[in-house]
Amino acid sequence: MTAVRIEGLTKDFLTGFWRPTPKRALDGLSLEIPAGGVFGLLGPNGAGKSTTLKLLLGLLRPTSGRIDLLGRPPGDTAVHQRLGFLPENPTFYDHLTAEELLTYFAGLFGLTGEARRQRAAAVLDRVGLEADRRRPLRGYSKGMIQRVGLAQALVNDPELVILDEPMSGLDPIGRRDVRAMIADLGRDGRTVLFSSHILSDAEELCDEVAVLARGRLVLHGRVADLTSRDVTGWHVVVSGGEADHYRAWAPGTTVQPLAGGRYALDLPADLRPETLVTALPSMGAALESVSPRRASLEDVFVRAVGEPVTPAGTAR
Amino acid sequence: MNVRRIGLVAWHVFKESVRDRLLYAIGAFALLLVASAVLIAQITAGQDVKIIKDLGLAVIEVAGVVMAVVIGVGLVAREIERRSIFALLAKPLPRHEFILGKYLGLVLTVMVNVVGMTMALYLMLGYAWTQMPVEAQLALDAPILDPRLLIVMVMIGAELSLLIAVALFFSTFSSSGLLSMVFTLGLYLTGLLSADLRGFGDVVDAAPAVAWVVQAVGWLVPAFSAFDIKAQVVHGLPLPAGFVTGTLAYAAVYIAAILAGAIALFSRREFK
Amino acid sequence: MSRSRQIVAGVVAVGGIVIAAGVLHARETHAPLPVSEARLLYLRSGRVADRLFLTFDALASDVYWMRAIQHYGRDRKSPRWEGRFELLDPLLDLTTTLDPHFNIAYRFGAIFLAMDPPNGPGRPDQAIALLEKGLTASPDHWQYAYDIGFVHYWHTGDFAEAAQWFDRASRMPGAPEWVRQVAAVTLVEGGDRAGARRMLSELVDTDEPYIRAAAERSLMQIRALDAIDQLTAVVERYRRETGQAPSGWADLVRARLLAGVPVDGAGTPFTYDAATGVVSIGGGSSLLPLPRGLESTRK
């Protein structure tokens, strides 16, 4: 089952007032997003992530290419009935309360009477705003607005949830909560498509990711495959023996002494740990643990995009 | 077309506008002016009732125009500037329903205000009545609490509905609220002069092509001056039969046309 | 919304505006608001208007000027006699109060006001009052004084008064030399066509199209008066030669005294009354009525 199918999607923006020249924001993107699970659309700022999401929602019209959203073209009312959308840095109406906003939006989905009120209350509860639901949005902090945005994206109990930079502007607790919510949505069998430039979130949450850079798709696959495909070495912890023995036995190994007479050894990928393990008794040492060192999504990403994308500190 | 969704959007516009301080400022200013008409009337001997009516009607119209333009232009422009429209258009809300809902919501907001100001005007007139000697009452052109003032209100209501449609139209394709406001006010002023433009050829010996163009403009711009019967009613003069229905029919057709244009443009619009 | 529906909406928009214009036209035809004084002149007093328009007086004066022209143009075409041109004076008064230096409003306004029915209200008194108001606002404007003289000369036939105003105009700064000649001739000879012709030929050279048009029309009137004199002489000659009065223009054409039926500058044939032998300007001519005081020849 495919939730979203994108074929050869290209979008040019005209820039310049007097002599508009087209600037390509998205270049021949083809992508299939399977139904159920969490899909991450990653890339540096200006890679075309928001453009892609807006094209999916019919807020922009493609220059060329096709989009198929839950079996329908974008902008179709019937499709919108089944999806939820959180825009990037959302804003709503200053003079409404969270409860009024959610009741209003629930009404647009055709809910009436008690069902409409209950639905609004339930999603506010889910994002942790039940205490503040009667306050005008004007007085909300950025993190609270982000939660309202998430609530309004879920008010129709959607099959497909599209979130544009859902973690931006949140404090660590807020980010943890949102992460947990996204994971829940994925477990419920919904399709969650979110864009982010924060890789650790994606690595933790996504079943599958696509990486965009300068409007082109540069990488696409299951997170598990992308990361395990590149085992960069082995991490072995041993107790006993001497550091020099280990260095002499296997050149290229880094040795780090740990507390209690233990050592952490980092073996290069071409050296199988089995050979070390069989040699341990002769060195008077014992095995404590062996684990593969895999490329993190960030390593894969930097290699694919060709440039470091997240300034230190924002990723983790 | 889903009437319920249009109604929801309209009701939400009304709610938002009613809580906006801007609306209160305009409304309070207008009420103050209507009330001050009583004071002004006291220093212009003999013409009290006429002046209260003149000033009251003018203030109601001007306040309505300010509301229609300021709020009407902001209605769509602000949603786009603040990007709240992204979440809204992701709902199962077709764009034509969005436009119609916004329009009806603002008409509702402005009409509620016009009705409020009209009630204030009648109160003022009622007060002036109690202060008037009987012989002065007999000398009036028109009764003090003239029910025909309500016809003026209907005309002002139709004029404002047309103006709101114009404001909404400009805000659907312009990216700047200020620019839409300038366009709307410009077209409003042109519309006030439209009768003069239509009569252009009668009096000026311009080149036929020029006269033709000016007259065409006079016929095609929304004729805001065609709704003005204030003087007629204040002086107790008769209105020709068919005038009110003709004017309302004009407003209805023109509003439908402008909204269709707004929908056509807004449906093409992209949101970057 | 699909592309085709958008096109439909666009067509509805354009077509709707045209239909709306049709509805408006129908309303204005079948249920026109009577053009009442109260409506055009919502403000009777120029002074009230002056306060009311705040800093937009000049703009408001333009609007009233346009209304004055429209009122004049509409009434001139209308078959209605009652209340004809009655708003012209108050509209011009409002215009010039709002903008006291609205030059053309005084000068052209005066020409309108002085014009005899059916082309104008025939109110030289109002014309003179308007020009005097202009003189109060701009005491150095010799044209206003000259125009007052002209109204006296042309419309009231008071040549003494006219000569006085011409004289006054000639002493004002910037007045050209010929004004003094006009003043002198008028003083000595009163009204005659030669003097009038000289005056008008100066006015025909002006840059103001309205004034030029009025002067050209006046010149045509003088030429018509000359033509009447000549035609009367021709009629007289026919009578002398044949011993009987002609029965119409056809007799004179047959006698080769005329090339054809004589017409005035506006293209209307002159009329000849066989019973009285009087030649006059055609009844439908746009040059009617001819100026008073210049009908008899005093050459």
Side-chain angles (χ1 to χ4, degrees):
Chain A
M1 261 285 278
T2 305
V4 180
R5 177 178 290 117
I6 298 171
E7 282 169 24
L9 191 62
T10 297
K11 178 65 187 173
D12 292 338
F13 287 114
L14 291 178
T15 55
F17 185 76
W18 291 111
R19 298 194 53 193
T21 45
K23 189 177 175 299
R24 187 144 292 189
L26 202 59
D27 193 0
L29 174 68
S30 294
L31 201 59
E32 281 199 13
I33 297 170
V38 181
F39 191 99
L41 192 59
L42 309 177
N45 294 326
K49 303 184 299 279
S50 276
T51 302
T52 308
L53 298 188
K54 283 180 185 170
L55 284 162
L56 291 183
L57 287 154
L59 294 169
L60 294 173
R61 282 192 310 280
T63 305
S64 64
R66 270 199 61 224
I67 296 171
D68 183 306
L69 203 65
L70 301 173
R72 309 289 288 264
D76 188 300
T77 312
V79 169
H80 285 198
Q81 187 75 32
R82 293 154 63 198
L83 66 79
F85 174 56
L86 167 70
E88 184 177 2
N89 297 325
T91 48
F92 301 101
Y93 310 98
D94 282 349
H95 301 286
L96 293 191
T97 66
E99 191 173 48
E100 285 170 328
L101 180 79
L102 268 296
T103 320
Y104 169 38
F105 283 173
L108 290 178
F109 283 102
L111 293 173
T112 52
E114 193 55 33
R116 184 175 160 201
R117 259 191 306 283
Q118 272 174 6
R119 190 72 212 142
V123 283
L124 283 172
D125 208 19
R126 183 161 186 185
V127 298
L129 284 175
E130 64 275 25
D132 297 294
R133 65 183 199 276
R134 298 253 158 91
R135 276 174 49 200
L137 298 177
R138 199 178 27 213
Y140 274 34
S141 70
K142 193 157 188 284
M144 289 164 84
I145 289 287
Q146 192 77 12
R147 285 165 191 259
V148 172
L150 212 52
Q152 63 84 33
L154 301 178
V155 74
N156 57 325
D157 199 8
E159 289 168 48
L160 171 63
V161 189
I162 299 177
L163 310 169
D164 198 354
E165 298 282 356
M167 253 77 78
S168 79
L170 293 177
D171 57 23
I173 296 172
R175 198 182 290 176
R176 188 198 63 201
D177 291 353
V178 170
R179 260 203 303 260
M181 250 179 283
I182 293 176
D184 277 353
L185 291 169
R187 268 196 295 278
D188 287 356
R190 292 174 225 269
T191 311
V192 182
L193 166 61
F194 78 92
S195 75
S196 181
H197 62 277
I198 302 175
L199 299 164
S200 59
D201 294 334
E203 187 163 9
E204 195 174 314
L205 286 169
C206 295
D207 303 305
E208 204 172 320
V209 293
V211 178
L212 293 181
R214 292 175 294 277
R216 289 167 185 273
L217 181 68
V218 292
L219 196 67
H220 173 211
R222 300 187 59 79
V223 172
D225 299 341
L226 287 175
T227 49
S228 69
R229 198 187 294 150
D230 293 303
V231 175
T232 57
W234 298 91
H235 189 73
V236 183
V237 178
V238 294
S239 62
E242 283 176 33
D244 288 346
H245 289 155
Y246 298 121
R247 287 200 189 94
W249 179 81
T253 305
T254 57
V255 182
Q256 223 179 344
L258 300 174
R262 293 180 305 150
Y263 295 93
L265 312 180
D266 275 319
L267 274 60
D270 55 350
L271 190 64
R272 299 299 302 174
E274 292 88 338
T275 53
L276 176 68
V277 171
T278 50
L280 281 179
S282 65
M283 291 187 275
L287 179 67
E288 297 247 317
S289 72
V290 178
S291 56
R293 250 199 9 223
R294 291 199 170 105
S296 72
L297 191 55
E298 184 168 349
D299 299 330
V300 177
F301 183 96
V302 170
R303 220 173 301 143
V305 174
E307 60 188 73
V309 275
T310 43
T314 57
R316 276 159 221 269
Chain B
M1 187 111 61
N2 185 316
V3 179
R4 215 181 78 83
R5 283 194 301 243
I6 296 175
L8 275 171
V9 176
W11 180 244
H12 166 252
V13 169
F14 179 69
K15 226 154 133 183
E16 262 268 299
S17 313
V18 163
R19 290 180 191 171
D20 200 329
R21 245 173 301 163
L22 189 67
L23 186 77
Y24 285 116
I26 302 168
F29 180 69
L31 281 180
L32 206 69
L33 270 177
V34 172
S36 70
V38 172
L39 290 177
I40 294 171
Q42 277 169 2
I43 51 173
T44 49
Q47 287 291 301
D48 328 24
V49 169
K50 177 188 165 338
I51 287 180
I52 296 177
K53 284 182 183 173
D54 284 348
L55 203 62
L57 293 174
V59 165
I60 291 172
E61 186 173 353
V62 171
V65 167
V66 173
M67 279 182 211
V69 173
V70 174
I71 305 177
V73 163
L75 217 51
V76 174
R78 202 168 43 179
E79 288 242 23
I80 296 170
E81 268 168 40
R82 304 196 58 199
R83 302 185 316 280
S84 51
I85 197 159
F86 292 164
L88 191 56
L89 289 184
K91 303 286 174 284
L93 177 70
R95 295 195 184 179
H96 61 271
E97 291 181 9
F98 171 82
I99 292 290
L100 292 177
K102 287 276 174 188
Y103 175 71
L104 294 175
L106 188 55
V107 168
L108 177 68
T109 310
V110 173
M111 290 310 140
V112 165
N113 277 278
V114 167
V115 167
M117 288 188 283
T118 306
M119 293 195 312
L121 177 61
Y122 270 104
L123 274 177
M124 293 303 136
L125 287 170
Y127 171 77
W129 196 10
T130 62
Q131 303 295 307
M132 242 179 147
V134 178
E135 56 274 22
Q137 289 177 21
L138 293 174
L140 290 172
D141 287 345
I144 297 179
L145 298 178
D146 190 353
R148 289 209 321 158
L149 287 179
L150 294 177
I151 303 179
V152 181
M153 291 307 159
V154 169
M155 287 290 134
I156 291 180
E159 180 191 3
L160 293 177
S161 301
L162 181 55
L163 183 61
I164 291 168
V166 170
L168 195 65
F169 175 78
F170 282 121
S171 77
T172 50
F173 65 84
S174 163
S175 52
S176 140
L178 187 68
L179 210 60
S180 319
M181 199 179 295
V182 170
F183 283 146
T184 308
L185 276 178
L187 194 57
Y188 179 66
L189 294 179
T190 315
L192 287 182
L193 292 173
S194 62
D196 296 308
L197 298 179
R198 292 198 290 275
F200 184 76
D202 293 354
V203 280
V204 180
D205 293 320
V210 175
W212 192 88
V213 168
V214 173
Q215 278 177 324
V217 169
W219 281 109
L220 293 179
V221 295
F224 289 110
S225 56
F227 299 90
D228 181 21
I229 51 165
K230 294 194 289 289
Q232 208 75 14
V233 167
V234 169
H235 288 281
L237 302 171
L239 285 175
F243 181 88
V244 173
T245 37
T247 312
L248 291 182
Y250 171 71
V253 174
Y254 209 113
I255 289 169
I258 291 197
L259 289 181
I263 287 168
L265 288 174
F266 192 67
S267 303
R268 299 284 304 155
R269 183 159 186 168
E270 294 190 282
F271 301 94
K272 234 177 176 177
Chain C
M1 195 186 250
S2 68
R3 194 87 180 94
S4 58
R5 281 201 199 169
Q6 283 164 17
I7 292 169
V8 169
V11 170
V12 167
V14 175
I17 288 175
V18 173
I19 294 171
V23 172
L24 182 65
H25 187 264
R27 191 207 77 177
E28 297 209 332
T29 314
H30 298 295
L33 265 196
V35 182
S36 67
E37 196 165 337
R39 196 173 153 69
L40 257 184
L41 291 177
Y42 199 43
L43 299 155
R44 282 306 308 249
S45 146
R47 252 181 247 135
V48 171
D50 203 14
R51 303 243 159 78
L52 208 74
F53 289 115
L54 307 170
T55 57
F56 301 103
D57 294 353
L59 202 65
S61 78
D62 295 345
V63 171
Y64 277 106
W65 171 237
M66 276 164 57
R67 293 222 167 129
I69 300 178
Q70 283 184 342
H71 173 65
Y72 176 79
R74 204 169 283 148
D75 273 16
R76 198 169 63 158
K77 284 186 180 171
S78 122
R80 173 173 75 97
W81 278 93
E82 198 192 333
R84 200 173 163 89
F85 300 119
E86 67 177 357
L87 291 182
L88 194 54
D89 187 47
L91 281 170
L92 288 167
D93 184 50
L94 263 173
T95 308
T96 52
T97 304
L98 285 166
D99 184 356
H101 302 285
F102 205 143
N103 184 19
I104 195 67
Y106 292 112
R107 300 197 65 198
F108 185 45
I111 291 175
F112 278 163
L113 284 168
M115 203 99 69
D116 282 315
N119 294 313
R123 292 294 297 268
D125 54 325
Q126 288 178 347
I128 290 166
L130 183 68
L131 288 165
E132 280 176 342
K133 185 177 166 192
L135 264 186
T136 319
S138 323
D140 287 346
H141 222 78
W142 67 268
Q143 283 96 336
Y144 296 156
Y146 179 82
D147 288 349
I148 293 176
F150 184 81
V151 171
H152 279 300
Y153 188 100
W154 198 256
H155 294 285
T156 65
D158 187 341
F159 300 110
E161 190 77 4
Q164 227 171 28
W165 278 103
F166 288 145
D167 184 49
R168 190 169 153 187
S170 71
R171 290 164 201 281
M172 288 163 81
E177 192 53 35
W178 57 264
V179 178
R180 191 176 317 208
Q181 293 165 19
V182 169
V185 170
T186 310
L187 191 62
V188 176
E189 300 180 15
D192 73 358
R193 290 183 205 157
R197 208 175 273 125
R198 188 179 318 160
M199 246 188 303
L200 292 168
S201 56
E202 296 292 346
L203 286 175
V204 163
D205 288 339
T206 175
D207 290 335
E208 298 289 358
Y210 290 138
I211 291 175
R212 191 165 56 229
E216 274 164 0
R217 180 170 175 275
S218 299
L219 268 178
M220 269 194 256
Q221 288 179 317
I222 291 184
R223 280 190 213 113
L225 287 171
D226 289 348
I228 288 172
D229 289 347
Q230 285 160 11
L231 289 169
T232 309
V234 170
V235 169
E236 193 52 39
R237 189 171 150 200
Y238 182 91
R239 203 200 334 252
R240 267 205 317 271
E241 286 174 6
T242 63
Q244 57 183 23
S247 61
W249 295 127
D251 288 348
L252 298 173
V253 174
R254 234 173 280 122
R256 305 202 171 228
L257 291 171
L258 289 177
V261 174
V263 296
D264 63 25
T268 313
F270 287 98
T271 55
Y272 166 69
D273 185 352
T276 58
V278 171
V279 177
S280 54
I281 195 160
S285 175
S286 65
L287 296 181
L288 277 173
L290 293 177
R292 272 163 282 182
L294 297 175
E295 271 151 1
S296 59
T297 37
R298 282 204 282 149
K299 280 194 181 159

